[in-house]
Amino acid sequence: MKTLVKTKYLLDCTGGDPIPGGWFFFEDGVILTAGRPGEPAPPAAGADAVLDLSDSFVMPGLIDTHVHMGLSHIDMIEPMPVNEQMAQPPQIKICKAAMYLRQHLQAGVTTVRGMGEEHFIDVYLARAVAEGYIEGPRLIPAGNVITATHGQGQVGLSVADGVEGVRRACRENLARGADLLKIFVSGGVVSGKGGLYAATYTPAEIRVAVEEAAALDKYAAAHVHGGPGLDMCIDAGVRSLEHASMATDAQIEKILRAGCWVTGTFSPAFHPSGVHFLSPEKAERLAAVKDKFMETFSKLVALGANLSFGTDGVHGALAFEAETIASCGADNMQAILYLTRDAAKACRREDEIGVISPGKYADFIALAENPLEKLANLTAVRSVYIGGAVKFRAEQNEGCKSV
Ligand SMILES: [Zn+2]
């Protein structure tokens, strides 16, 4: 069924200005043609249906490139520290994850990249969403995070040491359906394991993860904040650096030269619903690094680094990520492109998602207000479509009517 979508403004996220009265056709979940600037919407003749969003600002669905489906910092029914959440049984986590996936949908997110779970729950969730058992964004799974015995996280992860141990863990992830491999290299801001400058893997262990991913045309991502581990990851060819918040100027230059992607995750540290339950010592540690986070990302934005952003457990807070990026110096258009076009590239899915143009999936959202004027308007989500099918509708005043 060929559907014509009419809009008030269409921001296709290919880099151009929004198109007043922009329109596009889709069929079988894929975009066929899109209107060019100044070109009026065609008459409905030739379409089997019209989706009239002519009171809305329409743009591609948002892409959150760093989530963990089994834990949350926000809207928890039973608030508990992240470490306790991680220790919950996978059956509970998977039920909670179904709820979190809906939060993403309602926030206009049409694709999430799982950046490592326990018990492979993201692999199963991706399948459940794809097969229609539960509603959620498209899900790109990393499978289990791979970590050293003395590394960050533990419960239900793939604990692996030594080159051959890491190789086995990588191959198990790939066999179970991981789309990328995620390793923990440094410690975290709030975890008790290691510090932000720790390196819990050796260069050889990191290299083997890169090699095993590349052998199946996948890529490696590393949780790494700074220190020698960050150099090791860049040198080893890790494609996606998660956080990189403590990068020095020299390391930022290396990141740019190597063309690595950096995933910023402001929400856990900066969002009012971010991490809680911190001991006074950890709260102090978090407060101490916030300025450095902002400084690093201000430099990365100014230098034109490859960036995308993720909410890392604050499900649905991508608009907050956008506003924080803007306070690091990105203009509103660039902040939006980080969450759409560039996020698709970060996930190596730019042939499928991230922009409204022919051949891409019909993943789009209708907003009540223009987000280019104010990024908080990204939260004014009226409806969300994935592959052309409506997945969320805030009001019932719009819809697909036959012609
Ligand atoms: Zn994370």
Side-chain angles (χ1 to χ4, degrees):
M1 188 170 76
K2 195 170 161 185
T3 301
L4 168 66
V5 183
K6 292 179 168 181
T7 77
K8 183 177 179 185
Y9 282 99
L10 177 65
L11 179 66
D12 62 15
C13 286
T14 60
D17 291 332
I19 305 163
W23 52 270
F24 58 98
F25 281 99
F26 70 84
E27 186 169 33
D28 297 330
V30 175
I31 295 163
L32 298 173
T33 48
R36 286 183 289 277
E39 198 176 339
D48 303 304
V50 174
L51 177 58
D52 189 356
L53 302 175
S54 53
D55 61 347
S56 295
F57 192 101
V58 175
M59 59 174 283
L62 305 177
I63 302 169
D64 187 325
T65 59
H66 188 125
V67 302
H68 303 284
M69 283 295 118
L71 60 86
S72 171
H73 299 296
I74 196 170
D75 287 343
M76 284 179 288
I77 289 170
E78 190 188 355
M80 64 174 70
V82 166
N83 286 350
E84 280 179 36
Q85 292 181 52
M86 286 176 78
Q88 286 192 304
Q91 295 89 338
I92 292 292
K93 282 185 190 165
I94 213 153
C95 293
K96 288 164 75 174
M99 180 172 71
Y100 303 146
L101 287 173
R102 280 199 302 278
Q103 288 179 338
H104 283 281
L105 265 190
Q106 290 169 11
V109 176
T110 53
T111 299
V112 296
R113 180 170 62 175
M115 260 302 163
E117 296 291 341
E118 305 88 36
H119 309 289
F120 298 99
I121 67 165
D122 59 350
V123 170
Y124 297 109
L125 285 162
R127 198 189 297 170
V129 170
E131 293 179 6
Y133 301 128
I134 57 170
E135 291 286 9
R138 299 182 193 277
L139 209 167
I140 301 168
N144 276 10
V145 176
I146 300 166
T147 190
T149 296
H150 62 326
Q152 159 109 317
Q154 289 294 325
V155 183
L157 305 182
S158 296
V159 177
D161 297 305
V163 167
E164 289 313 310
V166 174
R167 191 189 307 281
R168 259 194 307 281
C170 290
R171 290 182 179 183
E172 190 192 7
N173 267 279
L174 294 166
R176 297 284 285 260
D179 264 23
L180 62 144
L181 295 172
K182 163 89 180 284
I183 56 173
F184 273 139
V185 174
S186 77
V189 176
V190 296
S191 82
K193 300 279 179 58
L196 301 179
Y197 298 101
T200 51
Y201 274 133
T202 62
E205 289 169 316
I206 298 168
R207 272 198 307 274
V208 79
V210 174
E211 263 172 46
E212 289 298 321
L216 292 196
D217 195 25
K218 312 278 186 188
Y219 60 94
H223 164 104
V224 60
H225 281 280
L230 181 53
D231 288 301
M232 289 178 203
C233 289
I234 303 166
D235 296 342
V238 170
R239 182 173 185 271
S240 190
L241 304 168
E242 306 306 300
H243 316 301
S245 49
M246 299 291 120
T248 63
D249 287 354
Q251 287 172 326
I252 289 173
E253 270 177 38
K254 271 176 89 167
I255 288 168
L256 288 159
R257 272 202 305 277
C260 298
W261 283 85
V262 177
T263 314
T265 58
F266 294 113
S267 299
F270 292 88
H271 193 283
S273 298
V275 285
H276 296 294
F277 307 105
L278 292 177
S279 64
E281 175 211 331
K282 285 181 182 172
E284 207 174 295
R285 185 154 103 177
L286 178 61
V289 299
K290 277 178 157 186
D291 288 348
K292 174 59 183 155
F293 272 30
M294 298 297 282
E295 187 191 316
T296 299
F297 278 89
S298 298
K299 287 178 183 168
L300 289 166
V301 167
L303 293 169
N306 293 328
L307 299 178
S308 72
F309 292 84
T311 52
D312 203 6
V314 188
H315 302 290
L318 264 189
F320 176 82
E321 291 288 327
E323 290 179 295
T324 315
I325 303 158
S327 62
C328 290
D331 63 29
N332 288 359
M333 175 69 94
Q334 183 57 62
I336 289 170
L337 294 178
Y338 285 142
L339 306 184
T340 52
R341 181 193 69 183
D342 297 356
K345 288 181 188 167
C347 297
R348 288 210 324 201
R349 296 290 180 97
E350 65 269 32
D351 291 343
E352 300 177 349
I353 55 174
V355 296
I356 294 179
S357 71
K360 308 295 189 287
Y361 289 133
D363 294 0
F364 55 94
I365 58 177
L367 303 173
E369 304 289 343
N370 182 351
L372 290 166
E373 284 169 6
K374 192 168 72 161
L375 288 167
N377 289 338
L378 287 169
T379 62
V381 178
R382 282 185 165 149
S383 51
V384 178
Y385 299 79
I386 298 181
V390 64
K391 295 292 176 182
F392 169 73
R393 192 179 281 149
E395 297 168 38
Q396 297 300 318
N397 62 355
E398 57 207 25
C400 204
K401 62 178 192 292
S402 291
V403 290

